[in-house]
Structure formats: structure tokens, C-alpha cells
Amino acid sequence: MKNTYLYIFCFSLLSLGSCSLDTEPITQTDTNFYKTTDDAYSALVGCYDGMQVATGAAGKGVPVVSEIMSDDCFGGTGNSDKYDYAAIDEFDIARAPSEVDMYNDNWVAYYKALYRCNVFLSKMDQIDWKGDMTLKDNYISETRFIRAYLYFEMVRLWGNIPLLTEPSSENVPQANPDDVYKVIAEDLVFASNNLPSVAYTATTSGRVTKWAAKSLLGRVYLYYTGYYGKSDLVGVVTKAQALQHLEDVIAGSGHGLVEDFSTLWPAASVDKYAGENNKEFVFSIKYTYTSDYLGNTDGNHWLVMFGMREFSSYPYGRGWGVTVNSKLWNAYSANDTRRTSTMIGITEEKIPFDKINNQREYTGYYNKKYSPMVDKDGKDLPLTMGSQFWDISQFQDYVVLRYADVLLMAAELGSGSAQAYFDDVRRRAYKTAFTSLAVNQDNIMNERHLEFALEGIRYWDLLRQGIGKASTAIAETTSLLNGGVATTKTISAAKIQNTKGLQQIPNTQITLSSGVLKQNAGW
């Protein structure tokens, strides 16, 4: 590479928290950059930033579309909006035939972020580490984790993607998914083995840890072996090894469950919020409230999609109205404390919502875990904190991995402590109403549904059980209110099966590749 474009953070640099980009790139040549540990730190921050932008400020938020594809949410949005979210929800491009580039911004941002990671990894040996090989290994590990996370998001969403492990703009065909998963697995194993065994403290903020790498490795193992029907993770990680990584997190990470489930979510707890660095959060992607339209893209741009349609009611803020399926409310028992912490119930909370005529696919329920918020005066919190833009400056972090997930994954993989891990999660949910339930695959999957609903996990849990089971769970015909008028809504199992649960490759990318890239079935 003859020129490197390095974007420098200017906010909260030391913690690698939610930072903003300079509006103009600084051009450096190989002869005067990637030399010192300061250069290395700046490059590492650039990799974190690439992940932040790709997952929070580019195109359609993957946590949002993951929920829309599942059985827990409908596309919703405004009654006069285009039908792109309906096409995603129903796995049917005929719902919005002109929407041939729904994910182009996502695709571009992911590959930009990967490019930064690959450049930095290719320059490690030309940096003067001053003998600190531990620091070098840490930076390599963090960068490889970020690369693995990005590729995992992409290969789950699209299935068939180009694989690049060196800085390149070469027009390469889509790789065999096994090859992509091999890179993911090797990256996470390296990070798991080389990051320091430092226990959680409340000062940990946004940085990848050994425990994050081990936890993500467990998730990748379960998804790959489930979706592709394999016995191990591409010959790199066995079931026993995946379980051991999770047991290491449980035994040595210092992470644990917070006492009150509601305190994990700002809108569910308000003044009791446990904070973005609480002990249950193993890894989160950090955002802040300083996004603008001048190039600062450090906010959570997708959060607004989950807000009540154009309506605020303290503490819940306005948004674009992705709606929650009423079946989810009914899936919880009345004594499960997670129900009212997970969902905003318009009727149940006596919210005077008056925008039904503006809302498509109204159900009476919205996402509480990831809801925009207002202060007691009804002012959007980003504006209260000094931002000029309430929509693109939402700042709630995205929780990628929680300790509860580690416990349930370890139980699923057959830990000798499976019953205890399973009970720990359920005991918190039911409090004094807790009764033990036998730990088995069906009960674990049901518990995962209730525990992680509306966190962007449910769809992938369904898909890894097989496209047949996933399509059966998601498909339905129901009646929803579109602009206040009852309208039939159909999601077809056959259409889900035709796509194999994968999403549309952007047509722009197919065109730019001169047809080297091929569209996924069903799109």
C-alpha cells in the first residue's frame, strides 16, 4: 500500500470509548508511519472506529434487521414509508422490487473497517515495539478480534462474501464460508491465547479482552456447527475446546450477573441503571452523542429505529417505529420480571400513544432494551447532553456479549455445571417465584429467547437450529394496523427457506465486480 489513510479519534482516546473522527483524513506514507508505539495505538483506535462506524452508523443497523428477520419484530416504520423493511421482514424482494441496494452502505463500511485491520496487521513487524512483545501481541489480538467480529457479522448476514486477509482492493469472488470461518476461528483463538488474564473491573471500557474473545468463540462455534451441520468449527475448535473457553470465562473473568435484570437497560431502569461498564457486559460496542453531518459518526444511528413512531413519553423517546410482535409479550409468564424490562407495552403502561395513523404494522409493543430516551421535560437525551441531532446522536452502547449468554452457552455445550448455570439465569428472572426446570436443549433455547429477546440474538439462534425450524417459527399470517386500518400480514416459510435465511448482496457491488459477485438465492 503506497498511502495509508488514518483517521484519528479526538474524543475519549485513552479509553477507546466512543470517539469521533476528524472530517479530513491525514495521509501518511509507509516511510513515516507505522514506526512507533504511538503510531500503533492510533492505528488500533482506527480499527475500533471502523467497527464502530460499520455497526452503528452505516446503512441498516444489523441489530435492527436481526430482530426484524426474527419472530419477535415486524418491519413497522411509517405508514407512508417505503417497503424495504417489509421486504427484509418477509424475505421477499417483491415487496420492494426497486430496493436492490438495501445493504450497500453496510457492505462498504464493513470492508473499510476490514481494510484498516488488515493494513495494521501487515505493518506490525515494521513498528519499533522497544522490546515490548506483550504489547505487540495485545494489539494483534485486539485487531484480530475486531476482524473476526466483522467477518462473523457479514458471513451470517450474507453467507457468501469475498475474503480478504491482506490490504487489497482486488476483485475476488465470494469465498467458501468454511474459509471465512477458519479465519474467524483462528483470529479468536489467537486473541483468547494472547490477551492478558486480567479480571473484570468497572474501569474496563470498550477494549477487547481475553474473556470477550473466548465468549465470541463460543457463539461462533454454536452458530457454525448448527447452521452448517458440522461437528466442529472448521477443524480449528472442537466442542470440548469451545466449552473450555466458556468455562474459563466463568471461572476467571470476574464477570457475573447483575442482581436486577431491569438495570441492564437504561429505559427499563432510568435512575437504577447499572451502567455501560457493569460486570455482566463482557463486550460492548461504544457510542456517544456527538454525531453530526460533518463526518463525525460516533453515535448509535440505528437505535432510533426501535423508538415509538414519532412519539415520546417519559422515559421513552421518539423514533421510527419498528414494532414488536405481541406473541413475545405472551411468551413470558406473568411472574417473569424480564417481560416488562424487555418491552414497552402501550396499553399495559397506559401510554397515551396517538400516532397509530402514522404507524405501519402497529402491535402496541416496542423495544424497551434499546429505546431512545427523553428527560422528564420530554427533551431527547442527545439534545439534553449537547448534541444538535437527536436521531443520529443516540448513544446507548450495543451489548454484543453478556455473562448470561456465557452461562447458557456453556450449559448448551454440556458443562458439568449446566443445571447450576441454567438455574442462575432463571433465578434472577423469577426471583421468589423461581422453580427449577430441567436443563435440556429445548428448555435452553426457550430460555435464550426470553433472556435475549430484542438484543439481535434471537434470529441467529433460530437459524442455527436449521432453516426448517427457523422458517416455521418465523412464518405467520396475522392482522396488524397500518395507518389505523386492520391489514393482513403474511410471512411465508417457503420464502425464508428459499433464501436459506441469508440477505441480499448489494446490486452495486455485483455491478462493480463485473459480475464476479453472485446474488444470493431468493433476492
Side-chain angles (χ1 to χ4, degrees), residues 423-441:
D423 287 349
D424 283 347
V425 174
R426 296 186 71 253
R427 186 176 290 107
R428 176 177 66 179
Y430 291 96
K431 298 188 180 297
T432 58
F434 167 77
T435 56
S436 188
L437 187 67
V439 59
N440 58 46
Q441 185 68 14

Side-chain angles (χ1 to χ4, degrees), residues 9-26:
F9 278 124
C10 61
F11 180 83
S12 201
L13 185 62
L14 292 178
S15 69
L16 280 181
S18 304
C19 311
S20 80
L21 300 172
D22 283 343
T23 56
E24 295 294 331
I26 300 172

Side-chain angles (χ1 to χ4, degrees), residues 43-60:
L44 177 63
V45 171
C47 294
Y48 276 94
D49 174 59
M51 176 176 62
Q52 180 193 60
V53 172
T55 58
K60 288 175 165 55

Side-chain angles (χ1 to χ4, degrees), residues 308-337:
M308 295 184 293
R309 182 71 193 183
E310 299 174 352
F311 184 85
S312 299
S313 178
Y314 177 78
Y316 315 125
R318 55 182 164 157
W320 302 139
V322 166
T323 54
V324 175
N325 195 324
S326 61
K327 290 195 304 185
L328 180 59
W329 180 272
N330 297 328
Y332 291 93
S333 64
N335 56 5
D336 189 335
T337 62

Side-chain angles (χ1 to χ4, degrees), residues 222-234:
L222 284 168
Y223 185 78
Y224 174 81
T225 56
Y227 183 75
Y228 293 99
K230 300 295 181 67
S231 60
D232 63 21
L233 181 52
V234 288

Side-chain angles (χ1 to χ4, degrees), residues 153-409:
E153 291 256 291
M154 296 165 67
V155 75
R156 286 193 306 179
L157 189 66
W158 291 304
N160 307 291
I161 57 173
L163 174 63
L164 297 168
T165 57
E166 296 180 355
S168 171
S169 57
E170 185 181 353
N171 184 18
V172 298
Q174 289 138 302
N176 185 316
D178 285 353
D179 295 334
V180 179
Y181 275 98
K182 189 170 190 294
V183 170
I184 294 169
E186 290 173 346
D187 281 352
L188 292 176
V189 168
F190 183 90
S192 296
N193 292 338
N194 287 279
L195 284 166
S197 301
V198 178
Y200 157 83
T201 69
T203 60
T204 303
S205 180
R207 294 288 287 267
V208 172
T209 66
K210 176 185 287 288
W211 319 118
K214 287 175 174 285
S215 300
L216 185 58
L217 194 53
R219 179 176 290 176
V220 172
Y221 175 90
L222 284 168
Y223 185 78
Y224 174 81
T225 56
Y227 183 75
Y228 293 99
K230 300 295 181 67
S231 60
D232 63 21
L233 181 52
V234 288
V236 177
V237 179
T238 66
K239 180 178 180 180
Q241 290 169 332
L243 174 58
Q244 187 57 57
H245 282 293
L246 296 170
E247 297 281 25
D248 290 346
V249 178
I250 294 167
S253 71
H255 286 288
L257 300 176
V258 301
E259 183 177 350
D260 183 343
F261 181 83
S262 71
T263 63
L264 293 169
W265 317 108
S269 57
V270 190
D271 295 334
K272 298 189 300 176
Y273 178 43
E276 60 188 15
N277 298 322
N278 71 74
K279 67 179 180 179
E280 186 160 340
F281 292 172
V282 178
F283 182 68
S284 301
I285 297 176
K286 312 293 288 184
Y287 303 109
T288 193
Y289 51 86
T290 55
S291 277
D292 57 35
Y293 291 101
L294 298 174
N296 298 306
T297 51
D298 46 17
N300 183 337
H301 292 200
W302 54 258
L303 187 75
V304 71
M305 295 303 304
F306 283 129
M308 295 184 293
R309 182 71 193 183
E310 299 174 352
F311 184 85
S312 299
S313 178
Y314 177 78
Y316 315 125
R318 55 182 164 157
W320 302 139
V322 166
T323 54
V324 175
N325 195 324
S326 61
K327 290 195 304 185
L328 180 59
W329 180 272
N330 297 328
Y332 291 93
S333 64
N335 56 5
D336 189 335
T337 62
R338 293 172 296 196
R339 178 162 69 177
T340 56
S341 299
T342 297
M343 305 169 68
I344 298 170
I346 298 299
T347 299
E348 290 80 2
E349 298 185 45
K350 297 180 173 59
I351 296 171
F353 184 73
D354 61 4
K355 300 293 184 180
I356 291 178
N357 290 345
N358 295 7
Q359 174 74 67
R360 183 182 294 158
E361 299 180 338
Y362 179 74
T363 64
Y365 297 100
Y366 294 94
N367 188 336
K368 188 179 289 189
K369 289 180 176 177
Y370 288 102
S371 171
M373 295 177 67
V374 295
D375 63 19
K376 291 181 179 179
D377 296 322
K379 187 175 183 179
D380 302 287
L381 285 192
L383 304 183
T384 299
M385 301 180 77
S387 175
Q388 300 178 60
F389 308 100
W390 70 275
D391 51 351
I392 62 171
S393 291
Q394 298 293 332
F395 54 87
Q396 184 177 339
D397 296 344
Y398 177 55
V399 184
V400 174
L401 292 157
R402 289 201 278 120
Y403 184 74
D405 200 354
V406 176
L407 292 175
L408 291 181
M409 287 191 292

Side-chain angles (χ1 to χ4, degrees), residues 452-470:
F452 306 118
L454 309 186
E455 296 179 44
I457 292 174
R458 169 65 172 172
Y459 178 68
W460 311 112
D461 273 355
L462 286 173
L463 205 54
R464 68 182 175 87
Q465 295 176 76
I467 189 64
K469 187 163 187 174

